[in-house]
């Protein structure tokens, strides 16, 4: 395949061909620090008749280590498949895709996406209001309803897969000692057993999460990936997209992005369930609650991996680790979910 796999390989002729518009000139602008850790994300400013004034271009990471992580979890492939095959099926707003290519032999890829930079980006450290939480939950309910029970098995990876399972087990074992040392004040009493129990519980938790009904899951619904307009949201960064329990997205958002006062303000599982029913999905609230609790416990692995492997010399990194870990542990205590880890180990 012949396509640019880095910004310095872009040409006006190639951009014009894939966009279907003449491009007279273009300029590459790197996006801010912390954007695109696994991939390289840039903004391309364009000039030419009919061409958009700017687009977002995503490329493989220049870091060999980050690229290896992406390959292990097929993160570039997932996002390309999402924009090619899944995005047209959903009603949740996502960036329009102008072009998507992937070379499976070299694992090079390029994505050209609509620039939604005029929308406000959420902040997981700052949190959000109850009104904003409603908008996010309405959005993910639309995503799940539009893909509920549909046969994406041949297109998207199921979240219960060997790389995910092994990665979470190993990542938790690696991150837990760091969490105990750096964030000891956040750990509820009587949770020392989690260091051994959680990795052993991961296979069973994943198996229970990935029983029908399943839907397409974004699998990284945190405020840093949410764009807000006056009425709704858009979701970006689809490198973790998979099929899973719909409640996985809900649990990740509620337990790790909502500040405690907002988290406790409403019954968010019931809010989500009501949104699903308005979208035409008939499911039992009790089943939603059960899958939410299972997903929330499993997602402790995410919090421990992130908090336990961040560059703690970076102030926002430390605040982010503290925020999501504290939110997660508080949520699990409220759900009485730690005992579930012991049962599943």
């Amino acid at each position: 395949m012949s396509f640019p796999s880095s910004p310095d390989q872009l040409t006006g002729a190639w951009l014009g061909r894939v966009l279907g518009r003449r491009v007279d000139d273009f300029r590459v602008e790197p996006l801010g620090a912390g954007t695109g850790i696994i991939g390289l994300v840039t903004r391309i400013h364009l000039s030419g008749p009919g061409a958009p004034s700017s687009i977002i271009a995503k490329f493989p990471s220049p870091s060999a280590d980050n690229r290896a992580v992406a390959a292990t979890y097929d993160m570039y492939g997932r996002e390309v498949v999402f924009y090619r095959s899944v995005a047209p099926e959903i009603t949740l707003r996502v960036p329009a895709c102008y072009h998507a290519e992937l070379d499976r032999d070299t694992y090079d890829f390029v994505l050209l996406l609509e620039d939604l930079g005029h929308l406000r980006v959420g902040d997981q450290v700052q949190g959000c209001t109850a009104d904003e939480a409603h908008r996010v939950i309405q959005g993910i309910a639309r995503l799940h309803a539009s893909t509920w029970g549909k046969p994406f098995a041949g297109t998207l990876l199921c979240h219960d897969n060997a790389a995910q399972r092994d990665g979470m087990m190993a990542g938790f074992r690696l991150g837990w000692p760091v969490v105990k040392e750096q964030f000891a004040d956040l750990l509820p009493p009587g949770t020392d057993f989690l260091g051994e129990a959680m990795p052993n519980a991961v296979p069973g938790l994943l198996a229970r999460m990935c029983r029908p009904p399943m839907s397409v899951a974004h699998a990284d619904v945190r405020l840093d990936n949410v764009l807000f307009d006056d009425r709704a949201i858009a979701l970006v960064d689809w490198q973790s997209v998979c099929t899973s329990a719909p409640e996985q997205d809900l649990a990740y958002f509620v337990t790790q992005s909502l500040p405690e006062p907002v988290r406790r303000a409403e019954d968010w599982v019931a809010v989500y369930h009501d949104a699903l029913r308005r979208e035409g999905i008939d499911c039992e609230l009790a089943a939603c609650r059960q899958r939410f609790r299972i997903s929330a416990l499993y997602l402790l692995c995410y919090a421990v991996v992130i908090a336990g492997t961040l560059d703690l010399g970076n102030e926002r990194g430390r605040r982010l680790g503290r925020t999501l870990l504290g939110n997660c542990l508080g949520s699990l205590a409220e759900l009485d979910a730690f005992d579930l880890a012991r049962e599943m180990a």
Side-chain angles (χ1 to χ4, degrees):
M1 296 183 184
S2 179
F3 58 84
S5 58
S6 65
D8 60 350
Q9 295 176 3
L10 287 170
T11 66
W14 183 84
L15 287 167
R17 178 169 61 81
V18 297
L19 292 173
R21 297 287 188 272
R22 194 178 83 209
V23 174
D24 295 328
D25 196 13
F26 69 93
R27 175 173 59 88
V28 178
E29 174 193 355
L31 291 189
T35 302
I37 295 172
I38 295 298
L40 178 62
V41 186
T42 63
R43 175 173 284 116
I44 313 297
H45 297 273
L46 304 167
S47 61
S53 60
S54 64
I55 60 175
I56 299 299
K58 300 184 73 170
F59 303 97
S61 172
S63 162
D65 290 343
N66 291 357
R67 189 165 173 152
V69 171
T72 297
Y73 295 98
D74 194 25
M75 298 175 82
Y76 302 157
R78 291 197 212 193
E79 193 162 31
V80 167
V81 167
F82 170 78
Y83 279 109
R84 282 179 173 175
S85 304
V86 182
E89 302 292 321
I90 66 175
T91 56
L92 171 68
R93 185 178 182 183
V94 300
C97 182
Y98 302 117
H99 190 70
E101 283 194 75
L102 171 74
D103 185 335
R104 284 287 181 187
D105 292 332
T106 64
Y107 213 55
D108 286 331
F109 87 106
V110 63
L111 275 173
L112 301 183
L113 303 172
E114 177 186 10
D115 187 356
L116 298 179
H118 60 288
L119 301 182
R120 180 174 57 83
V121 183
D123 186 329
Q124 192 169 4
V125 173
Q126 180 178 335
C128 67
T129 67
D131 176 68
E132 290 166 339
H134 272 279
R135 286 149 65 186
V136 174
I137 290 171
Q138 297 292 332
I140 62 173
R142 285 195 296 275
L143 165 66
H144 299 152
S146 59
T147 59
W148 191 276
K150 289 188 177 180
F152 286 100
T155 305
L156 293 177
L157 190 66
C158 176
H159 197 62
D160 183 11
N161 64 80
Q164 188 69 33
R165 180 183 64 244
D166 295 346
M168 289 300 98
M169 294 171 71
F172 192 96
R173 290 191 174 104
L174 183 66
W176 183 250
V178 178
V179 165
K180 287 181 67 177
E181 178 183 351
Q182 299 290 336
F183 303 99
D185 60 306
L186 297 179
L187 297 176
T191 53
D192 281 350
F193 78 97
L194 290 173
E196 193 62 36
M198 271 304 299
N200 295 332
V202 164
L205 291 169
L206 276 171
R208 290 176 68 176
M209 285 168 58
C210 293
R211 296 173 184 168
M214 292 196 292
S215 72
V216 169
H218 178 278
D220 197 13
V221 181
R222 54 192 180 87
L223 282 169
D224 290 2
N225 287 331
V226 178
L227 305 181
F228 292 92
D229 65 15
D230 291 337
R231 294 173 297 175
I233 66 158
L235 272 183
V236 297
D237 194 354
W238 291 85
Q239 292 183 336
S240 299
V241 66
C242 60
T243 57
S244 185
E247 293 80 7
Q248 177 179 340
D249 282 340
L250 177 69
Y252 194 35
F253 175 66
V254 169
T255 66
Q256 298 193 31
S257 282
L258 294 190
E260 182 178 341
V262 176
R263 188 177 73 237
R264 292 185 170 188
E266 297 194 48
D267 181 345
W268 296 111
V269 179
V271 169
Y272 171 78
H273 181 259
D274 288 344
L276 280 181
R277 291 180 66 86
R278 286 195 298 273
E279 295 290 332
I281 300 300
D282 185 16
C283 61
E284 294 183 358
L285 177 57
C288 275
R289 293 195 190 281
Q290 182 183 47
R291 290 192 297 264
F292 178 88
R293 184 169 177 256
I294 290 167
S295 298
L297 177 60
Y298 162 75
L299 291 164
L300 175 61
C301 293
Y302 281 33
V304 168
V305 169
I306 293 170
T309 59
L310 283 173
D311 176 6
L312 298 182
N314 176 284
E315 178 58 28
R316 189 181 188 275
R318 183 171 179 83
R319 289 174 60 206
L320 177 60
R322 186 172 186 84
T323 298
L324 64 87
L325 184 64
N327 286 342
C328 181
L329 291 167
S331 298
L332 293 176
E334 292 165 10
L335 291 166
D336 195 23
F338 294 123
D339 286 345
L340 182 58
R342 202 187 300 272
E343 294 169 16
M344 301 284 294

